[in-house]
Amino acid sequence: MNTHTSSVTAAEPTQKASFSSRFHVRSISGLIGLILVGFWLVISVIGPMLSPYPPNDFVSNTVFGPMSMKHFFGTDYLGRDMFSRVLAGTPYTIGVALAATVAACLAGVISGLVAAAATSWVDMTISRTQDALISIPSKMFALIMVASFGSSVPILILTAAIAYMPGSFRIARSLAVNVMTLDYVQVARLRGESMPYIIFKEVLPNMFRPVLTDFGLRFVFIVLLLSAMSFLGLGIQPPEADWGSLVRENIGGLSSGAPAVIMPAIAIATLTIGVNLLIDSIGSKSVQH
C-alpha cells in the first residue's frame, strides 16, 4: 500500500513537470511566431520608407551581386538593390493576402452562420454552392480568373477570396451548428430573441478562437497561392513586385546561390512559419482551456 502511494506521489511531479515543459515550449514558439508576424506587419507599413535606394533604380553594374554593407541583400539580375526591392514588395505580399483573407473569412463566416441558423432549404442551397466552389482547385481557379480578367490587385484579392471562402464556410457552419444546440442558445430562443441577436451575441463570440485560428491558416494559404501566381508571372505585374515575383525574376541566380533569389524566398518562409507558430500557440491555448 505504501509502495503504491509513493509511486503515485513520485509520478505526480513528473506529470506536472511534463505539462509545464509542454506549456513553456508552446509559449516560446508562440512568442517567436508573434515576433516574426509583428516584424513583417511593421515592415509592410514602414518598409518602403526604409529603402536605401529607389527599388526600380539600377544602382550597380554587377548583376546577382553578393551581400555587402552597400547592398545588404545583394543586387538582382539588372543590378537593382534587392534589400530595397524586398522592402517595397512587402506591402504587396502582406497587404493583398491580408485583404483577401479578411474578405474570404468574412464571407465564409457570415454565410456559415446564416446556413446554420436558417431553414433547411436555405442551408442546402448555400452549402451546395460552396461545395461547387471548393471542388475547383485554387490554382486552377486563379488561372481561369487571370486569363479571363487580367492580372491586377483587385482581381487577385477577389480570386483568392473566392477560392478560400468555401473552406472558411465549412468550418464556420460546423462550429455554428454545434453551438446552436447548447443550452444558452435554446434559452435565448425561448426568451424570444431575434435570430441576428442569437447569431452575433450568443453564437459568434463562442466560436471566435477557432475562427481566428482558421483565419491564420487561410492567410498562409493565400500568401502561398499569390506567391505561386507571381512566380508564374500572373501575380503582381512589373514594375511593382511582391516576394513571389522577386523569386521568379531572379531564378537565373539560383545555380550560383545568389542572395537575390534566396532572400525573398527566406522572407516568404519566415512569414509563413511565424503565422503557423502563432496559430499553433492559439490552438494549444484553446485546448488547454
Side-chain angles (χ1 to χ4, degrees):
M1 181 67 179
N2 292 337
T3 303
H4 176 71
T5 304
S6 61
S7 65
V8 172
T9 305
E12 287 177 353
T14 303
Q15 294 173 354
K16 291 179 180 179
S18 177
F19 176 81
S20 176
S21 175
R22 288 197 302 269
F23 182 78
H24 180 68
V25 170
R26 286 168 179 165
S27 299
I28 293 297
S29 65
L31 179 61
I32 293 173
L34 181 62
I35 291 172
L36 289 174
V37 173
F39 170 78
W40 284 120
L41 286 176
V42 171
I43 292 299
S44 70
V45 176
I46 68 171
M49 295 183 288
L50 302 177
S51 299
Y53 304 96
N56 293 318
D57 283 8
F58 307 116
V59 296
S60 174
N61 294 323
T62 304
V63 299
F64 295 130
M67 292 186 288
S68 64
M69 293 302 296
K70 190 175 180 181
H71 305 292
F72 298 142
F73 291 173
T75 56
D76 71 353
Y77 74 110
L78 293 176
R80 295 174 293 190
D81 181 62
M82 273 306 296
F83 181 70
S84 300
R85 293 197 44 88
V86 169
L87 291 179
T90 305
Y92 287 100
T93 300
I94 296 181
V96 174
L98 189 60
T101 307
V102 170
C105 289
L106 191 62
V109 169
I110 291 175
S111 58
L113 289 169
V114 170
T119 56
S120 59
W121 70 269
V122 174
D123 181 15
M124 184 175 297
T125 301
I126 297 175
S127 297
R128 296 297 80 80
T129 302
Q130 298 288 350
D131 289 342
L133 288 174
I134 206 172
S135 65
I136 306 173
S138 59
K139 289 183 177 61
M140 182 181 295
F141 179 76
L143 291 173
I144 293 171
M145 289 289 289
V146 171
S148 301
F149 303 104
S151 180
S152 64
V153 170
I155 290 297
L156 292 174
I157 292 174
L158 180 64
T159 299
I162 294 175
Y164 286 98
M165 177 182 64
S168 179
F169 164 80
R170 282 188 166 188
I171 290 177
R173 181 188 175 280
S174 63
L175 290 169
V177 167
N178 290 333
V179 175
M180 285 285 189
T181 62
L182 299 179
D183 292 341
Y184 59 86
V185 176
Q186 300 303 319
V187 170
R189 288 179 183 271
L190 293 174
R191 288 201 312 263
E193 302 291 355
S194 64
M195 188 54 65
Y197 175 90
I198 293 174
I199 289 175
F200 293 105
K201 294 294 185 179
E202 301 290 351
V203 177
L204 185 58
N206 290 283
M207 48 185 279
F208 179 75
R209 192 183 294 273
V211 167
L212 183 62
T213 302
D214 179 67
F215 178 89
L217 289 173
R218 301 283 156 210
F219 177 77
V220 171
F221 296 154
I222 290 175
V223 166
L224 296 177
L225 172 66
L226 295 176
S227 297
M229 293 295 293
S230 294
F231 185 79
L232 296 173
L234 301 173
I236 302 297
Q237 297 299 303
E240 309 301 339
D242 64 352
W243 294 343
S245 58
L246 290 179
V247 174
R248 175 186 58 81
E249 65 188 25
N250 293 291
I251 197 66
L254 184 61
S255 59
S256 59
V261 67
I262 295 174
M263 299 314 294
I266 290 176
I268 295 172
T270 53
L271 176 62
T272 54
I273 288 171
V275 174
N276 276 293
L277 289 174
L278 190 58
I279 291 169
D280 183 66
S281 175
I282 294 173
S284 65
K285 287 179 181 180
S286 65
V287 171
Q288 290 164 9
H289 290 164

